[in-house]
Amino acid sequence: MALWAGRFSKEIDAGVNAFNSSISFDARMYRNDIQGSVAHAMMLGECGIITKEDSETIVKGLCEILKDLDDGTLEFDPNAEDIHMFVEAELTKRYGDVGKRLHTSRSRNDQVALDLRLYLRDEIVEIQGLVKKLAVVLTELAEKHTETVMPGYTHLQRAQPVTFAHHLLAYVQMLLRDLGRLEDTAKRMNVCPLGSGALAGTTYPINREMTANFLEFDAPMANSLDGVSDRDYCIELANTISIIMMHLSRFSEEIILWCSWEFKFIELDDAFATGSSIMPQKKNPDITELIRGKTARVYGDLQTLLVMMKGTPLAYNKDMQEDKEAIFDAVDTVKLCLETFIPMIETMQVKKENMRAAAAKGFINATDCADYLVKKGMPFRDAYKISGTLVAKCINENLTLETLPLEAYQEMTPLFTEDVYEAISLETCVKGRISQGGPSPEAVAKQIALVKSQLEME
Ligand code: ARG
């Protein structure tokens, strides 16, 4: 018999029960459900809504249920409507009437909103740990590559010289923003819906500050209708996770390119790549492709939540039960991706010489060639044109700016002298990019120092 059976003259249809039930996916919140019920029961006792004795018995009973679920002695009933009903029914099974007092002045509507916030609050801490770990790993790798010249790209065309450190630190910046967004999401999530009741609060003299305190929330939520019907925190978290996934996906795309024969900037460790069932020579970057693919799925989770909420009138509607699978999937996926991505980065081999060789092709010093003339007094647009003409000449004659003879330079303008070769050498080009945030080793050292303090690395 369902706990709400009083009004009904028949048992629920078995198929409808299965359709309606959420225990298969909300059982994972059992710890949070019990934690919330303990706080509620303690408050009921403190406020004289139930006796101290009953309150203590309920807390004791809930702790026993928690222990039995933790060690597997108690199994979830797949026919239960949800985790909240399951725990309450179990308590009542064990403690009779006392158990039946737990739900005084509470609804599953504020209960589920509470459980989900508690659950996600812990998950955010884990995601923060992983994002931070990745940022630390990238910063440590960057420290080893401040002199590793590689081509920087725009439109995936070789553009200007950077270093591998500089490139990695761009990702660290993205991750730092992700950490900021996670913190922000956690902060806004950390208000307590318990005591909102079904939607309209309660006539009992409850103390919402007390339960909020017990559960380490910053405050009770200010409006009971909002308390039970708000899922902004799921949407914000799914959004934050989507952005993390987008960053991982862009990085994955680069790694896929970098380990192709066309680039060969890196080599993945054998333990982090897969072979082909037919082509013996293949070593495939499956992990990164899966991360790229799973990003789509997390975007889907965000869409699910947004669309689920857009047409629901206040306050609670059963549509909102669909929030859990979406947000759990987003949380599970980003954790799984980060856990796999981090050791893949830690073990990959960086092929410095290939990066350097690619930087030597593609005329990525053409801007520097123009800047050379600007420093000798020529207006930039004229210098730009001369540099472009020289590049065209090199392409025709299968040369590079480094191998083009001085006479060819001087045919364009006598401002060119022997020192042009020094000015356009890749090392000079990188070292000269001293602007703040740029790729020169000194500018990168400053970025590393700042990032290390932001990540509390020393
Ligand atoms: N399983 C439900 C959910 O996840 C719990 C809240 C049920 N509330 C209700 N009024 N039926 O949303």
Side-chain angles (χ1 to χ4, degrees):
M1 269 295 200
L3 288 173
W4 36 254
R7 185 209 195 283
F8 291 79
S9 56
K10 275 189 192 172
E11 280 278 329
I12 191 169
D13 174 86
V16 171
N17 189 49
F19 179 74
N20 199 42
S21 169
S22 54
I23 189 140
S24 62
F25 50 85
D26 65 18
R28 65 159 85 189
M29 302 193 300
Y30 73 91
R31 286 196 191 91
N32 317 101
D33 192 73
I34 291 172
Q35 186 190 4
S37 289
V38 166
H40 181 65
M42 279 168 35
M43 182 278 291
L44 292 178
E46 289 293 326
C47 296
I49 299 169
I50 60 174
T51 64
K52 275 272 163 71
E53 203 188 343
D54 283 351
S55 163
E56 278 159 24
T57 308
I58 291 174
V59 171
K60 183 166 142 280
L62 288 168
C63 293
E64 286 162 4
I65 293 173
L66 177 62
K67 189 183 148 291
D68 293 351
L69 285 170
D70 274 343
D71 66 22
T73 341
L74 175 63
E75 279 175 20
F76 297 111
D77 171 8
N79 295 315
E81 192 176 325
D82 52 33
I83 185 60
H84 328 293
M85 290 299 210
F86 171 77
V87 172
E88 191 185 330
E90 185 61 31
L91 187 69
T92 305
K93 206 178 337 163
R94 296 182 185 197
Y95 289 93
D97 281 354
V98 180
K100 293 187 199 163
R101 295 189 197 281
L102 168 62
H103 211 53
T104 314
S105 86
R106 187 176 67 169
S107 157
R108 272 185 298 157
N109 298 351
D110 56 348
Q111 193 177 354
V112 70
L114 170 68
D115 292 5
L116 195 51
R117 280 173 197 262
L118 288 171
Y119 181 85
L120 295 176
R121 190 169 78 175
D122 291 345
E123 291 295 309
I124 290 178
V125 175
E126 283 193 35
I127 301 169
Q128 280 170 324
L130 288 165
V131 172
K132 190 168 168 189
K133 169 89 195 168
L134 178 57
V136 166
V137 165
L138 293 177
T139 306
E140 282 166 356
L141 188 58
E143 280 190 291
K144 296 188 194 133
H145 290 286
T146 55
E147 311 259 348
T148 305
V149 176
M150 71 180 270
Y153 298 81
T154 62
H155 314 271
L156 203 57
Q157 301 285 320
R158 290 172 188 152
Q160 289 180 342
V162 296
T163 63
F164 191 46
H166 188 229
H167 196 105
L168 292 172
L169 288 168
Y171 282 101
V172 175
Q173 289 301 324
M174 299 178 216
L175 297 173
L176 283 169
R177 288 195 295 275
D178 291 331
L179 286 172
R181 269 184 288 271
L182 284 166
E183 205 180 307
D184 215 38
T185 307
K187 174 136 192 52
R188 235 184 323 276
M189 188 185 288
N190 204 34
V191 283
C192 187
L194 188 60
S196 299
L199 74 163
T202 174
T203 54
Y204 293 94
I206 58 169
N207 185 337
R208 295 192 57 208
E209 293 284 346
M210 189 185 285
T211 41
N213 265 333
F214 283 156
L215 296 165
E216 293 175 32
F217 282 103
D218 294 333
M221 287 181 76
N223 179 292
S224 65
L225 284 166
D226 184 46
V228 291
S229 65
D230 168 39
R231 292 294 181 276
D232 291 4
Y233 59 100
C234 294
I235 296 172
E236 279 194 62
L237 180 57
N239 172 65
T240 300
I241 293 175
S242 293
I243 297 176
I244 298 173
M245 289 300 299
M246 180 268 288
H247 292 152
L248 289 182
S249 186
R250 293 185 78 181
F251 204 164
S252 291
E253 171 62 14
E254 297 209 297
I255 287 172
I256 292 163
L257 288 169
W258 290 347
C259 56
S260 70
W261 282 106
E262 284 70 12
F263 279 79
K264 269 289 167 251
F265 286 1
I266 58 143
E267 171 94 31
L268 293 177
D269 191 86
D270 278 0
F272 288 86
T274 51
S276 153
S277 61
I278 174 172
M279 298 167 280
Q281 84 284 12
K282 290 297 283 294
K283 180 169 171 184
N284 294 330
D286 284 22
I287 293 178
T288 41
E289 290 168 70
L290 267 175
I291 290 175
R292 212 171 48 181
K294 285 178 191 294
T295 302
R297 147 193 193 136
V298 170
Y299 292 176
D301 295 328
L302 172 61
Q303 282 305 309
T304 299
L305 291 165
L306 283 168
V307 179
M308 179 195 86
M309 289 304 287
K310 76 181 262 295
T312 48
L314 299 187
Y316 177 84
N317 301 271
K318 189 78 170 196
D319 317 37
M320 285 149 75
Q321 178 166 287
E322 293 287 315
D323 59 0
K324 282 169 241 23
E325 283 165 295
I327 193 64
F328 292 162
D329 183 68
V331 162
D332 293 348
T333 305
V334 74
K335 279 166 53 183
L336 191 63
C337 290
L338 284 162
E339 279 160 2
T340 319
F341 195 78
I342 293 167
M344 184 197 70
I345 295 284
E346 281 176 309
T347 54
M348 77 187 186
Q349 246 185 67
V350 180
K351 304 267 187 204
K352 281 183 183 194
E353 42 329 312
N354 293 346
M355 290 182 179
R356 178 70 179 74
K361 296 180 202 146
F363 305 99
I364 63 177
N365 45 7
T367 317
D368 303 83
C369 178
D371 288 343
Y372 170 90
L373 293 176
V374 171
K375 279 174 199 147
K376 296 208 169 180
M378 187 179 280
F380 178 75
R381 270 294 153 239
D382 297 337
Y384 171 95
K385 194 165 175 210
I386 289 178
S387 180
T389 311
L390 289 169
V391 167
K393 187 174 173 65
C394 288
I395 292 170
N396 271 336
E397 295 172 18
N398 204 15
L399 292 170
T400 65
L401 289 174
E402 289 91 325
T403 53
L404 186 72
L406 188 60
E407 300 78 72
Y409 277 104
Q410 287 173 337
E411 264 170 36
M412 300 300 302
T413 163
L415 289 176
F416 279 120
T417 50
E418 189 60 41
D419 60 356
V420 65
Y421 295 106
E422 168 62 20
I424 60 160
S425 95
L426 287 177
E427 282 65 30
T428 314
C429 295
V430 169
K431 289 205 172 91
R433 293 190 142 69
I434 49 166
S435 51
Q436 191 192 341
S440 77
E442 298 84 81
V444 164
K446 283 187 191 148
Q447 291 176 51
I448 291 176
L450 184 60
V451 156
K452 277 178 131 181
S453 77
Q454 286 167 307
L455 291 168
E456 295 151 340
M457 278 170 72
E458 31 204 16

